Amino acid sequence: MRHSNGIRRAALATTAVTAVAAAVAGIVPGTAMAASTTTSAPPPACPASALQVSAWQAVHRPVGTGTGAAVVQFTNVSRKTCVLKGHPTVAGAANGSPAHNTPLKVTPIGRAATVTVRPHGKAWVKLTFVQVQGEADGYCVSGKAPVTYPTMVIGLPHSGKHQVALNDGVWAECDNKVTVTPVSAVKPS
């Protein structure tokens, strides 16, 4: 009997210690104790106001005399971390409102992943156009006339539309078609 009393006392002591630990942890008696998990909500999508957008001609682009390909950079100018995800929409625009634009037919390539952008952090997309050929006014292989735009309107899912000029020329393309990469944390060339 002495041996079983010792086991009983040890079990009671263990139960008492567990009850005290549960009370300190804020667990109500009679509820199951689970492993502690801390989950924080993911950062929200970057609002349009948090993004500064710039663009330049890509180093690697199709042969021709037009823009060919461009890199668009999104810089988080807010004080909060946010996320970007998805493929952009693209529309040619004059210097007026982003609402007055000509949407281009977008062909997305690559798989979209969420990109976390800390304050002052950057994310990128690459746009590849049907290239203008020849000199002077140029021509399109399709026979259509080339088009130039002073600015493009680049839209990102849940992050607004952004009107942006190239820092090194005008946007020149054929056939109103563009191939786009998803937002990336890696700067394309």
Side-chain angles (χ1 to χ4, degrees):
M1 281 296 242
R2 283 187 191 161
H3 183 50
S4 64
N5 283 341
I7 292 173
R8 232 180 272 148
R9 277 190 226 124
L12 287 173
T14 301
T15 302
V17 168
T18 303
V20 169
V24 169
I27 299 172
V28 178
T31 61
M33 290 189 338
S36 173
T37 57
T38 55
T39 57
S40 59
C46 297
S49 61
L51 300 173
Q52 181 179 57
V53 184
S54 57
W56 57 88
Q57 291 186 41
V59 173
H60 300 287
R61 53 186 197 243
V63 175
T65 56
T67 304
V71 175
V72 181
Q73 177 177 282
F74 300 90
T75 303
N76 181 356
V77 294
S78 76
R79 293 182 180 169
K80 295 182 179 179
T81 297
C82 55
V83 297
L84 297 172
K85 182 177 181 179
H87 292 85
T89 59
V90 182
N95 288 322
S97 166
H100 302 291
N101 61 57
T102 303
L104 275 62
K105 182 178 186 296
V106 172
T107 302
I109 58 168
R111 199 166 117 210
T114 301
V115 176
T116 302
V117 189
R118 290 183 166 67
H120 307 291
K122 296 172 178 32
W124 297 268
V125 296
K126 185 172 182 179
L127 314 176
T128 304
F129 300 92
V130 176
Q131 183 64 288
V132 176
Q133 304 296 319
E135 297 295 323
D137 290 338
Y139 67 95
C140 298
V141 173
S142 68
K144 294 182 180 177
V147 180
T148 60
Y149 297 103
T151 61
M152 286 281 180
V153 178
I154 312 298
L156 287 177
H158 310 292
S159 296
K161 293 181 178 181
H162 308 272
Q163 190 165 0
V164 61
L166 281 173
N167 67 0
D168 52 356
V170 296
W171 302 87
E173 55 88 20
C174 286
D175 305 334
N176 285 335
K177 295 179 184 177
V178 62
T179 301
V180 300
T181 64
V183 175
S184 175
V186 178
K187 183 179 177 180
S189 57

